[in-house]
Amino acid sequence: MITSTAQETIPPKHQDLPLDALAARVGDELETLARLSADVQKAISECEFSEHTRAEAIRGMQGIDRITQSLEDLGRLMAAVSGEMPEGVKLHAVPILSRLRLHELITNLNPSQDRIVLSHEEADGEIEWF
């Protein structure tokens, strides 16, 4: 259920998602995540590590390269799959998209909405360490 600012409950409206467009959007998101992963990998490679950094820790960080390559491959796969899907196959949006937590991801996966693309200037902000 969606709640408005007046705390009244508004039932979600019914919306169908074209399966081929959803698959293409998933492919786009995977490619975006691959670029972000590559940026993280580059940032980590510029960090200085103490001489006492365990080899296992460094090997673990090298796993980011595998993540990046896998995301790139999965993005290409989903783009190809979306091109092979028959047109006109629809899915109900609410049960699918309601499983996601990130508003930006929900928007970007919904073919009826414009994708949210952050420029480097918008993405650059105050750094918050976890």
Side-chain angles (χ1 to χ4, degrees):
M1 293 299 214
I2 301 170
T3 8
S4 72
T5 55
Q7 298 302 323
E8 61 189 63
T9 303
I10 302 168
K13 68 177 189 170
H14 178 81
Q15 179 188 1
D16 286 331
L17 291 173
L19 183 57
D20 58 338
L22 175 62
R25 290 285 186 113
V26 169
D28 292 342
E29 279 302 304
L30 288 166
E31 289 175 11
T32 298
L33 292 172
R35 282 192 301 276
L36 288 172
S37 179
D39 290 346
V40 169
Q41 183 177 359
K42 180 180 176 188
I44 288 175
S45 71
E46 294 178 8
C47 292
E48 292 183 27
F49 297 99
S50 74
E51 61 185 64
H52 302 296
T53 303
R54 294 185 353 216
E56 295 85 21
I58 293 173
R59 275 194 293 278
M61 288 184 278
Q62 290 174 335
I64 295 171
D65 183 55
R66 168 111 160 86
I67 292 168
T68 302
Q69 291 180 40
S70 295
L71 288 169
E72 289 170 345
D73 279 351
L74 290 170
R76 285 190 294 272
L77 175 71
M78 287 307 296
V81 166
S82 73
E84 295 295 320
M85 289 182 174
E87 290 183 22
V89 177
K90 308 267 187 199
L91 303 172
H92 297 295
V94 173
I96 292 171
L97 297 179
S98 68
R99 297 177 188 269
L100 304 175
R101 292 182 293 168
L102 298 175
H103 174 70
E104 181 181 319
L105 183 60
I106 293 168
T107 299
N108 286 349
L109 291 181
N110 190 340
S112 69
Q113 296 187 19
D114 291 335
R115 288 180 47 89
I116 298 171
V117 180
L118 297 178
S119 67
H120 282 291
E121 292 78 25
E122 292 171 316
D124 288 345
E126 188 174 320
I127 296 174
E128 295 181 27
W129 297 104
F130 297 103

